[in-house]
Amino acid sequence: MTTGTAALAREALARLGVQASAYAGGDLPVRSPVDGTSLGAVRSHTPEEVAAVVGRAAEAFDAWRAVPAPRRGELVRLFGEELRAAKDDLGLLVSLESGKIRSEGLGEVQEMIDVCDFAVGLSRQLYGLTLPSERPGHHMLERWQPLGVVGVISAFNFPVAVWAWNAALALVCGDTVVWKPSEKTPLTALATQAVFERAVARFGDAPADLSQVVIGAQPVGEALVDDPRVPLVSATGSTRMGRAVAPRVAARFGRCLLELGGNNAMIVTPSADLDMAVRAIAFSAVGTAGQRCTSLRRLLVHESIADGLVERLARAYDSLKIGSPLEADTLVGPLIDENAADQFEAAIARAKTEGGEVVCGGERLAGRGGAYVTPAVVRMPAQSEVVRHETFAPILYVLTWRDLDEAIALQNGVPQGLSSCIFTDSVREAERFLSATGSDCGIANVNIGPSGAEIGGAFGGEKETGGGRESGSDAWKTYMRRQTQTVNWSRDLPLAQGVKFEVG
């Protein structure tokens, strides 16, 4: 497995157009979570190099913003075509570098393709408004203009899709992109950049440096965050990271688009279809080894059905195949690294001290090279501190409730506000959950789990999740600047609000 994993990565990178010199001899080692194999070592950028990259991006923006939006959409269309051709290799590389099972790795690339399709249509729909003027012989317009250089900081768990959410929209909006991927997953970024450059070559007349990659740890991110030539920083990661990024960007009056932590819950009512609920719980809680920002972390079950549902979950968890994500029947791959496994074990221990009962799982699996654990179901007597904290691992805390008001209070009673759901066959319960007095999250679902969002809706959450919105709906407005325009087509010069100011 060790030799095979590295060889698979090298072969995929070569087919994707990444030269071996790009990941050899650098200062930043890259290891596969599949088995701990070294995949290479990339070179980190210096802060001075980041500044030079931003400078080139700013020059490219000066030219790109003048290109008609539908023409900009053509580049993104070509990129989508190139992604289709590269899907198998790029999806494999996602699995090798982030530990996702094969279907999830391929699904992430499909998400990139889908958002490209969305952005191509959007390139002809960057609508403004016409507004009535109070002054005769005048009319008003609201127009959306390109913004500038967009800095994208992405996390390891979605090493390419989140960049595509940002980049596809930014490019059709007339912006340029500087991407800092997670230092844990730089190879997928280099491969994506190579695929993008093929689309640029086919496009023919695009300015150089529309999209660039900078690699490194915190100093690289800080250089990007602090640069005043970057009017928008889109950062995906932990709440701790967001607390560091947001004040620095605000200090220079830049914009932040933050996608931070989630502590997502499912409410299960007595009327719910439990067969469907069990399937949704299993995928939402253990998919990507619990390392999605939308992973299910809290299961809020009516007390009358809790025992039976937990028993069914324990049986379902016992059937999960845990192992190499490259094997077709694997459902649970590794955690990203040993530190993640340490945090998993620490959370299990803390849950026990806070009165939790481990129903199943919660163990570390040794001797596999990577950081593998058994997904855990833990019954908790209350929503204690460990439950309120997001642990990026497959731990599902189960709590019970007596009435829906109590369930919604539990659902909302955490600092994070990303995704939420309810399983019920009651229209009243569903509509209450979706009402202004229901879920306080950015995403609220009925009879579907919290994990796995479609690109057509705006993605993001409230409270400590950061308030940002990416991907669908009108999230494109974040990547543009709003301009109110007034045109006087008369030969008079009346002032607004009846102000009189005559001279001469």
Side-chain angles (χ1 to χ4, degrees):
M1 170 64 75
T2 300
T3 303
T5 302
L8 284 171
R10 287 195 301 269
E11 292 165 3
L13 284 163
R15 289 190 295 267
L16 290 163
V18 179
Q19 300 296 318
S21 58
Y23 55 95
D27 60 297
L28 184 61
V30 183
R31 293 192 174 276
S32 173
V34 175
D35 54 12
T37 296
S38 173
L39 301 181
V42 297
R43 188 182 73 82
S44 297
H45 286 77
T46 66
E48 293 75 19
E49 288 173 321
V50 175
V53 166
V54 173
R56 293 195 295 273
E59 290 181 10
F61 169 71
D62 287 344
W64 188 239
R65 63 183 174 178
V67 175
R71 177 68 178 152
R72 299 192 298 249
E74 173 64 8
L75 173 58
V76 175
R77 186 189 70 80
L78 294 172
F79 180 45
E81 285 189 357
E82 293 295 337
L83 285 171
R84 285 176 169 86
K87 179 178 177 179
D88 192 63
D89 282 323
L90 188 53
L92 172 61
L93 193 60
V94 168
S95 293
L96 291 169
E97 196 174 35
S98 73
K100 289 188 172 184
I101 63 174
R102 283 290 280 134
S103 65
E104 288 192 80
L106 292 169
E108 181 162 351
V109 182
Q110 185 61 49
E111 193 165 355
M112 300 173 76
I113 295 166
D114 291 345
V115 80
C116 283
D117 288 348
F118 176 85
V120 172
L122 181 65
S123 70
R124 294 180 181 270
Q125 301 179 73
L126 301 175
Y127 298 131
L129 300 172
T130 58
L131 306 168
S133 172
E134 68 183 65
R135 291 170 283 187
H138 290 60
H139 67 80
M140 297 175 65
L141 304 171
E142 182 178 271
R143 179 171 290 176
W144 293 89
Q145 308 282 22
L147 181 62
V149 180
V150 176
V152 179
I153 300 173
S154 60
F156 75 85
N157 60 327
F158 278 87
V160 290
V162 168
W163 171 82
W165 286 2
N166 286 275
L169 269 63
L171 287 166
V172 300
C173 289
D175 303 328
T176 55
V177 180
V178 177
W179 178 16
K180 183 208 169 298
S182 167
E183 57 268 36
K184 298 176 183 179
T185 54
L187 299 182
T188 46
L190 295 177
T192 300
Q193 180 67 21
V195 174
F196 179 76
E197 292 298 339
R198 289 203 288 273
V200 171
R202 290 176 61 192
F203 185 79
D205 59 350
D209 303 314
L210 286 179
S211 173
Q212 300 171 83
V213 176
V214 293
I215 291 174
Q218 186 172 336
V220 173
E222 289 176 346
L224 184 60
V225 164
D226 291 341
D227 198 309
R229 296 169 297 178
V230 182
L232 172 64
V233 174
S234 175
T236 300
S238 67
T239 298
R240 178 184 58 80
M241 181 271 287
R243 291 190 194 281
V245 168
R248 298 179 78 123
V249 177
R252 59 176 180 82
F253 297 100
R255 298 186 197 173
C256 264
L257 193 169
L258 298 177
E259 295 290 354
L260 308 176
N263 194 347
N264 315 294
M266 176 190 294
I267 296 173
V268 184
T269 75
S271 69
D273 182 330
L274 296 186
D275 290 335
M276 193 162 63
V278 168
R279 291 169 55 204
I281 293 165
F283 170 71
S284 299
V286 307
T288 323
Q291 297 173 116
R292 291 185 177 216
C293 52
T294 55
S295 289
L296 178 62
R297 313 228 179 262
R298 297 176 295 137
L299 183 62
L300 314 177
V301 191
H302 191 270
E303 62 182 11
S304 67
I305 59 172
D307 291 344
L309 180 56
V310 169
E311 288 176 7
R312 294 182 64 171
L313 276 178
R315 291 195 297 271
Y317 272 48
D318 284 343
S319 71
L320 295 171
K321 166 76 181 296
I322 304 170
S324 168
L326 306 182
E327 296 175 5
D329 57 347
T330 295
L331 294 177
V332 184
L335 296 176
I336 189 64
D337 55 25
E338 292 298 323
N339 181 58
D342 291 343
Q343 292 181 27
F344 171 84
E345 289 186 315
I348 294 293
R350 184 172 181 183
K352 291 178 180 178
T353 65
E354 294 178 3
E357 173 197 355
V358 178
V359 176
C360 62
E363 298 175 347
R364 201 164 182 164
L365 300 176
R368 302 192 179 204
Y372 292 83
V373 299
T374 57
V377 176
V378 184
R379 295 195 71 163
M380 297 296 294
Q383 192 152 268
S384 61
E385 283 303 309
V386 73
V387 180
R388 288 167 48 81
H389 173 77
E390 180 193 32
T391 301
F392 224 53
I395 303 174
L396 180 64
Y397 300 110
V398 182
L399 297 94
T400 60
W401 51 272
R402 293 184 177 181
D403 62 66
L404 191 57
D405 286 344
E406 180 186 1
I408 291 174
L410 284 170
Q411 144 68 42
N412 295 342
V414 295
Q416 310 85 356
L418 179 53
S419 190
S420 60
C421 62
I422 187 170
F423 269 73
T424 179
D425 277 353
S426 165
V427 173
R428 287 190 176 91
E429 289 175 340
E431 291 296 335
R432 167 68 199 290
F433 180 76
L434 298 176
S435 74
T437 63
S439 169
D440 65 358
C441 293
I443 299 169
N445 299 331
V446 174
N447 292 331
I448 185 173
S451 184
E454 297 183 37
I455 60 96
F459 181 89
E462 304 302 328
K463 301 187 291 189
E464 288 189 1
T465 301
R469 292 297 185 274
E470 295 172 322
S471 191
S473 185
D474 65 348
W476 60 270
K477 293 180 179 179
T478 305
Y479 305 86
M480 305 195 82
R481 58 182 177 86
R482 188 196 311 251
Q483 187 176 73
T484 301
Q485 303 174 344
T486 305
V487 176
N488 178 4
W489 50 270
S490 75
R491 294 193 179 276
D492 298 317
L493 194 64
L495 301 179
Q497 291 86 47
V499 173
K500 300 295 183 182
F501 195 90
E502 302 294 338
V503 295

